[in-house]
Amino acid sequence: MDAPVEPIADSVLNDWVVLIAQIVLLAAFVMVAIDAWPLNLSSQIGLGIALCILLASRVGLGNSFRVLASPNGKGLKISGIYSFVRNPMYLGLLLAAGAVCLSSRPLSWILFAFLLTVLLTKIRAEESYLKDAYPEYLEYVKGTKRLIPWVW
């Protein structure tokens, strides 16, 4: 007799749906960038800044890196770039997408709006998970902006 199949929790399913949407939109931006090649100077500078932020984010997370919104239990990262903004990786992705938009057709900004919506949805889910997983997260939130350093 087969063991009963456990249903997938709504939060896990939602995490995967948001992740897939994020991947599809990022792939669309790669296609837009290829179509807009060669990128203008402002796009190149923006991409350079975005890549530096993404690299600092990835290095800062170390083995805590995770593509899903739920934490992996390896601790809350609040130093380095994470002391300036709670979601630097998403900031880097948005800066990269915006930089590509500067060199491409105006319709690419619609993709940007969708990416922004998906990432804000993921941020809200992550914040909820982190609040539950790490009691010190609420103190961290008080002193660190969500997405734009010193602003929001």
Side-chain angles (χ1 to χ4, degrees):
M1 184 166 183
D2 292 332
V5 176
E6 293 291 323
I8 297 174
D10 286 345
S11 61
V12 172
L13 182 60
N14 289 341
D15 285 354
W16 279 101
V17 168
V18 169
L19 177 62
I20 291 168
Q22 178 183 340
I23 291 168
V24 167
L25 287 165
L26 291 174
F29 268 103
V30 169
M31 301 300 282
V32 168
I34 290 169
D35 188 50
W37 196 261
L39 300 176
N40 63 33
L41 182 60
S42 58
S43 292
Q44 292 174 26
I45 291 169
L47 275 175
I49 293 168
L51 290 174
C52 289
I53 291 170
L54 287 166
L55 181 61
S57 302
R58 178 60 185 93
V59 168
L61 281 176
N63 66 356
S64 293
F65 177 75
R66 184 168 167 87
V67 295
L68 293 174
S70 57
N72 62 7
K74 294 186 178 180
L76 182 64
K77 302 298 179 185
I78 59 173
S79 60
I81 196 166
Y82 288 88
S83 64
F84 297 101
V85 64
R86 297 192 309 261
N87 298 284
M89 196 159 295
Y90 301 141
L91 172 61
L93 290 174
L94 289 169
L95 283 175
V100 168
C101 287
L102 293 175
S103 285
S104 61
R105 296 184 197 123
L107 288 176
S108 64
W109 288 101
I110 293 172
L111 279 177
F112 182 88
F114 282 120
L115 180 62
L116 177 62
T117 302
V118 166
L119 292 179
L120 289 176
T121 300
K122 193 170 181 182
I123 287 170
R124 285 187 190 99
E126 282 183 1
E127 288 177 343
S128 175
Y129 291 138
L130 291 170
K131 183 180 65 170
D132 292 342
Y134 303 105
E136 66 271 25
Y137 183 73
L138 293 177
E139 191 64 32
Y140 171 61
V141 166
K142 291 178 187 174
T144 312
K145 298 299 182 183
R146 175 179 278 147
L147 193 59
I148 303 170
W150 305 288
V151 178
W152 178 74

